[in-house]
Amino acid sequence: MATTKLWTDEEISANPRVKAVIDDIRTTRKSDFINNFWRALANQPAVLERTWSNLKQVMFAPGALDPLTRELIYIAVSTINGCEYCIHSHTAAARAKGMSDEQYAELLSILGMAAETNALANALQVPVDLEFQVR
Amino acid sequence: MATTKLWTDEEISANPRVKAVIDDIRTTRKSDFINNFWRALANQPAVLERTWSNLKQVMFAPGALDPLTRELIYIAVSTINGCEYCIHSHTAAARAKGMSDEQYAELLSILGMAAETNALANALQVPVDLEFQVR
Amino acid sequence: MATTKLWTDEEISANPRVKAVIDDIRTTRKSDFINNFWRALANQPAVLERTWSNLKQVMFAPGALDPLTRELIYIAVSTINGCEYCIHSHTAAARAKGMSDEQYAELLSILGMAAETNALANALQVPVDLEFQVR
Amino acid sequence: MATTKLWTDEEISANPRVKAVIDDIRTTRKSDFINNFWRALANQPAVLERTWSNLKQVMFAPGALDPLTRELIYIAVSTINGCEYCIHSHTAAARAKGMSDEQYAELLSILGMAAETNALANALQVPVDLEFQVR
Amino acid sequence: MATTKLWTDEEISANPRVKAVIDDIRTTRKSDFINNFWRALANQPAVLERTWSNLKQVMFAPGALDPLTRELIYIAVSTINGCEYCIHSHTAAARAKGMSDEQYAELLSILGMAAETNALANALQVPVDLEFQVR
Amino acid sequence: MATTKLWTDEEISANPRVKAVIDDIRTTRKSDFINNFWRALANQPAVLERTWSNLKQVMFAPGALDPLTRELIYIAVSTINGCEYCIHSHTAAARAKGMSDEQYAELLSILGMAAETNALANALQVPVDLEFQVR
C-alpha cells in the first residue's frame, strides 16, 4: 500500500544508477536482503543516493557510539514520530546487532518515561533552569 | 512562565509529603540541586510521588543499559517531542554522566538522520517487510 | 517575537472587517480582553473570520460536553502538539471555567499516562484487537 | 505484526509474575477480556507491572474527573500522537463508559479545532500574553 | 477498521442533510467518487458540514497559491502528523493535479531535509536570530 | 539558551574546516549574514559539513519546484514539528523570496485545515480507499 511502486531485483539491475547504490548497500551490510524502503526510494534516484550516502556515514562509520546504541536511538526517534515502517526495521536491526530482551525492556521503559515527563513538562511549561543553560 | 508556581525550598520543607520525595531525589542523585520540574510538580503531590518513583526505577536502578545510554535515548525522545525543558535538562544530565563532544555529534547525526528517514518512509507509506515481522 | 505584527486596539478599530470579528469575540466571551492570538490573526482577515466562526461553534455553542471538559480536551491536544501559546491560553481558560487543583492534577496524570502508553503501543506495534473494530 | 509475540492465556497462566498482573486487570475491569496491549507487554514483566500499577491509579481510582472524561482526554492524546492501537482501544472504552454519538461528534470537533489553532499559533509564533502567565 | 461505520451511497441518499454536503462535494470536485473520509464523517453531520465548508474555501477557492502547491503543503503536514489516510489521499490528489515524478522527488527531499534540520535545531535549542524577528 | 555555544566570526575564521563551509554558505546565499543555526552546528564540523551539503542540494539546486514553493513546504514541516527556530528562519526566507501577504494567509489556512483533517482522519481511523493505493 505504498504511494509508489516497489522496485523488483530485475528493475534494479536494469538501472545502473540505482544498481550502484543497491550494490553498495549489499556490500556494506554484508547481506543480499534489500528491504522495501530502498525499493520505494529507487523511484527517486537522487534521493536514494543522498539518503544512503548519509545513512552509511551516520550508522556504519566507526565512531564514539557503538552500533547497538545507534539503533536504540533510532528506535526512540521512530517511535515518537510514529513511523511504523522504521520501528519495525530498526527493532529488527537492533536485535540483529545483539539487543537482549532485558535491553529491549529497558528501552521501552525509557521511551515511556520520557514521553510521560515530556507531556508533564510541556503541560506545566516549566522554565529551563539557569543551571542547564550554556552561555 | 510556568502555568503553575514553582515551590521554594521553604515551601517544600513545610510540606512533609512533598519533602519526602524531594529528600529522596537529593539522596538518589547525590546532589542538593532541585530543578524546576520537581518544583512545579510539587503542586500535585500524588503526581510528584508517582513520577519520581517511576523515574527512579527507570533511570537509576542497575540494569542492562548504562546511565549515559539511557540519557541519550531520553534526549532523542525529548527532541522529537519538542520538549524544550527536557532537552535542556537531559543534555545537561548526559554531559554530567560523561557524554563526550564526539558522542554528542553522533547523537545529533542519528537524530537528524532518523527524523529524515521517518519522514521519507511515512510519505512513501512503505509496507513493512515480512522479514521484520514477528509472528 | 511573533512572525507577524500584533494589531493594537487602534488598528483593529480602523479596519471594519477585523473590528466586526473582534467585537463578536468580546460579546461572546463577555470580556474586553483580546489576547495575542487574535491580534496576530488580524493580519489575515479571512483566516481570522473563519477561525473565530469555527471556534465559536465548537467551544461556545451549547452541546453534550460542558465548557470545562472542552477546555481539558483542548489542553490535551495542545500539550501533545507542543503549542506553548495554546497550553498557556487554554490552561488559563480552564481555570476561568472552574478547573480545580485536583482536576488539574488528574489531567496531568492522564496526559502523562496516555503519552507513556502511546509510546509503548507504538514501539511494540501492538495489533488492534478485533473486539475494538467497528465493522 | 507486533514487534514482539502476544502471550496466550496458557502462557500467562504459566508465569506467576505475569499472571498476578493479568488477574488484577481482570478483577479491576470486571471482565475476562485481555486486550493485545497487555499480551505484548507480558514479554517485559517489570514494564507490565509498573504500567498497570500506574494506569490503575490514573484511570480507575476515584477522583475529581469522571471515568468518561478521562477517556475523552486519553483519546485526544492518542489521536495527536497518532497511536492507532490506543485510538481504537480508548474509543471502545469511551463507548463502553457511555459516550453518546453527540459527545463523540463534539470530541471530534474539538480535536480538529485545537489541532488547527495549534498549527496557526505555532506558525505565527504568537507570544504568550502576560495575562496567561503564572508568576 | 475505522472507529465508526462508513456510509454507503444508499444511506447518504436517505439523509437530506448529509446528501446536501455530499452532492456539493461531487459538484465541486467534478467527480462522483466519494472517498472514505467523508463516508466516516457522515456519522456527524455538523462536523461534516463545517469541515467541507472550510475545506472548500481553503482548497478550491481561487487564490494566490495554485492547486498543486496547496496539495504539496497538505502532504507535508500530513506526513509529519503521520496521518496514513491523508498522505494517501493527498498524494493521489497531487498526482491528479499534475504533480510530476521530479516534483514528487523534490517534495520528498524537502520533507526529509526539513525534518532533519528541525531535529537538529530543536536538539541544540538554537536561539532565534534577532534578524528573523518581527517587532 | 542553546545547549551549545554559538561560534563567533573570529572562532569560525580560526578553524579552516568550519570556515570552508561557512564561506560556501555565504557564497551560495550571496549574503554575509550567518544565522545561529550554523554557528551552533560549528561545534560538530562533520555534522555541519553534511547538513550544509545536503541543504545546498535540496534548497538551492535548480529543479522542478521554485524556491518559494520549497520554503512554503519547509515552513509546513517546521510548524507541525513545532521547531520555533525553523519556523522563524524559513518564514523570513520565504518573505525574502517574495512571499506575499496573500500567499502567507493561504499557507496558514492550509496548515490549519490539514492539521484539522489529520486529527479527524486519525481519530476516526479511516481506512485508505483502494482508489488511492498504488499496486
Side-chain angles (χ1 to χ4, degrees), chain B residues 61-91:
Chain B
L65 297 176
D66 64 86
L68 177 53
T69 299
R70 298 185 200 189
E71 292 294 348
L72 298 179
I73 295 166
Y74 221 109
I75 294 172
V77 173
S78 304
T79 297
I80 304 305
N81 272 331
C83 180
E84 178 184 355
Y85 186 83
C86 315
I87 292 166
H88 273 289
S89 61
H90 288 278
T91 301

Side-chain angles (χ1 to χ4, degrees), chain A residues 13-48:
Chain A
S13 294
N15 182 313
R17 189 175 176 189
V18 168
K19 184 175 183 300
V21 178
I22 299 298
D23 282 351
D24 192 42
I25 294 176
R26 287 188 161 124
T27 303
T28 304
R29 303 204 300 200
K30 299 186 176 65
S31 161
D32 268 358
F33 175 60
I34 294 296
N35 51 311
N36 287 340
F37 180 69
W38 304 109
R39 295 182 187 278
L41 273 188
N43 295 285
Q44 296 88 21
V47 187
L48 174 71

Side-chain angles (χ1 to χ4, degrees), chain B residues 29-71:
Chain B
R29 303 203 299 199
K30 299 186 176 66
S31 162
D32 269 358
F33 175 60
I34 295 297
N35 51 312
N36 288 340
F37 180 69
W38 304 110
R39 295 181 187 280
L41 272 188
N43 295 285
Q44 297 87 21
V47 186
L48 174 71
E49 285 174 346
R50 201 162 41 74
T51 304
W52 168 247
S53 165
N54 286 323
L55 195 75
K56 189 179 172 181
Q57 281 182 61
V58 171
M59 295 301 280
F60 292 90
L65 297 176
D66 64 86
L68 177 53
T69 299
R70 298 185 200 189
E71 292 294 348

